[in-house]
Amino acid sequence: EIEAKYTKKMQVLRDELDLRRKTEIYEVEERKNSHISELMRNHEKAFNDIKNYYNDITLKNLALISLLKEQIEEMKKKENHLEKEKADVLLQNKQLKEPLQQAQEQVFELQKKLAHYDKDKEALMNTKARLKVTQKELKDLQWEHEVLEQRFRKVQAERDELYQKFTKAINEMQQKTGFKNLLLERKLKGLLGVLEKKEVELSEVFAASNLDPGALSLVSHKLEDVLNSKNTTIKDLQFQLAQVCKAHNDMLQTFEAKLTAFGIPLDNLGFKPLASSMLGQ
């Protein structure tokens, strides 16, 4: 009975211990699995971080490689361009060699001229002084020019007014002189015709009348007196006509002189003044 009792207790204790052992094993397994899961998560995260890090590095390196390739292409293009520019520059240098030599000669000449810089500087100062004086004279001349322009406009207005007055006066004078000359010429022709008629009549009277020499001499003296009187009248008329013609010609000469003084061409009159010929010359 005791052996059975302790066997039973042993079995119960073994079952408890076995259950405890299984429970502990299960807990250990759970902790192990949890730890393994945590480690796997940590390792997965670390792997993803490392993967992302190296992916970023790879992408950056690829972008850098692409950029470097583009830069290499650009550098090659620049190198080709620089080679062309180098060839152009060499050609320009070759072409500019002769102008450079000429420029060096000019520099040599300029260096010679530089030795005379002080003299040129002094001459320049003198020229500046003369320039100031000339500028002052120019201002004075400009002021005088403005004053003269005003006077010229005033004189031009007076000239135009005088021109109009002269034109009007010359027209009136020509009309009056022409009319007076016509009257004097007609009067003179009439007197000459009357004189010739009287002479003819007198000759006929002398021929028809048989007067004695004394009466004939008396009549002749009276006739001579009448003729002398008529001749005097004719000379006075001719003198008056000559005075009128001379006044007309003098007036024309004065008018032409005034037009010339004011710078007006005679063609601008619109007519040509007629000079009167003095009768009796």
Side-chain angles (χ1 to χ4, degrees):
E1 290 177 356
I2 292 170
E3 184 179 4
K5 183 180 178 179
Y6 280 100
T7 302
K8 187 177 180 179
K9 286 183 177 179
M10 181 73 71
Q11 186 65 37
V12 172
L13 182 61
R14 184 175 290 142
D15 292 336
E16 289 179 358
L17 290 174
D18 188 35
L19 180 61
R20 184 181 295 175
R21 181 181 58 80
K22 287 182 180 181
T23 302
E24 289 179 356
I25 289 171
Y26 180 76
E27 290 177 355
V28 171
E29 287 288 338
E30 287 292 328
R31 288 197 299 272
K32 182 190 71 173
N33 291 330
S34 176
H35 184 64
I36 289 171
S37 297
E38 185 177 359
L39 287 176
M40 287 181 69
R41 287 195 299 271
N42 291 333
H43 288 173
E44 185 71 23
K45 182 180 179 182
F47 177 75
N48 289 329
D49 292 339
I50 292 172
K51 183 179 179 181
N52 292 330
Y53 174 73
Y54 282 105
N55 285 333
D56 293 337
I57 291 176
T58 303
L59 292 175
K60 289 180 181 179
N61 288 333
L62 290 174
L64 181 62
I65 289 170
S66 298
L67 180 62
L68 290 175
K69 285 182 178 180
E70 292 178 357
Q71 291 180 354
I72 290 171
E73 292 293 330
E74 189 68 24
M75 292 297 292
K76 286 182 179 180
K77 291 180 180 179
K78 288 184 178 180
E79 184 179 2
N80 294 329
H81 183 67
L82 290 175
E83 287 292 333
K84 292 180 180 179
E85 288 184 351
K86 179 182 177 182
D88 295 336
V89 169
L90 291 175
L91 182 61
Q92 290 179 359
N93 288 336
K94 186 177 181 181
Q95 293 176 352
L96 293 174
K97 186 176 181 180
E98 183 177 354
L100 177 62
Q101 186 176 359
Q102 294 178 357
Q104 288 176 350
E105 294 177 356
Q106 290 179 358
V107 168
F108 180 71
E109 294 293 331
L110 291 174
Q111 287 177 351
K112 287 184 179 179
K113 292 181 180 179
L114 186 62
H116 303 286
Y117 173 72
D118 294 332
K119 294 181 180 179
D120 294 338
K121 186 177 181 181
E122 185 178 359
L124 179 62
M125 292 176 65
N126 295 330
T127 304
K128 286 183 178 179
R130 289 197 300 270
L131 179 61
K132 289 182 179 179
V133 175
T134 305
Q135 287 178 347
K136 186 177 181 301
E137 292 178 354
L138 178 61
K139 290 182 179 178
D140 296 337
L141 289 175
Q142 287 176 348
W143 181 78
E144 291 180 0
H145 176 69
E146 185 177 357
V147 173
L148 289 175
E149 278 188 348
Q150 294 178 358
R151 290 177 61 188
F152 173 73
R153 287 193 290 268
K154 184 178 179 181
V155 171
Q156 195 173 19
E158 292 177 355
R159 180 202 67 182
D160 295 337
E161 183 179 0
L162 185 61
Y163 172 74
Q164 294 176 358
K165 290 181 179 179
F166 266 119
T167 304
K168 185 177 179 181
I170 195 67
N171 290 329
E172 293 177 355
M173 183 61 69
Q174 281 186 339
Q175 292 177 359
K176 291 179 181 179
T177 305
F179 182 69
K180 192 171 183 179
N181 289 341
L182 183 61
L183 291 178
L184 289 175
E185 288 178 359
R186 288 183 179 179
K187 189 174 182 180
L188 182 59
K189 289 179 179 179
L191 290 175
L192 290 174
V194 172
L195 179 60
E196 291 177 357
K197 186 177 181 181
K198 292 296 182 181
E199 286 179 353
V200 172
E201 290 178 354
L202 183 61
S203 298
E204 291 178 355
V205 169
F206 283 155
S209 62
N210 295 320
L211 296 176
D212 56 351
L216 183 60
S217 177
L218 180 60
V219 172
S220 298
H221 284 300
K222 289 183 179 181
L223 183 60
E224 286 179 1
D225 293 335
V226 173
L227 290 175
N228 289 330
S229 176
K230 296 297 182 181
N231 288 330
T232 302
T233 303
I234 291 172
K235 288 180 179 180
D236 291 337
L237 291 173
Q238 288 178 347
F239 181 71
Q240 291 178 9
L241 180 60
Q243 284 182 338
V244 172
C245 292
K246 185 177 184 305
H248 176 73
N249 293 333
D250 291 340
M251 187 268 294
L252 288 179
Q253 292 178 358
T254 304
F255 182 64
E256 291 176 358
K258 289 293 184 180
L259 290 179
T260 305
F262 285 111
I264 301 175
L266 297 177
D267 297 335
N268 291 343
L269 288 177
F271 62 91
K272 183 176 181 182
L274 297 177
S276 299
S277 60
M278 292 182 289
L279 298 176
Q281 290 183 350

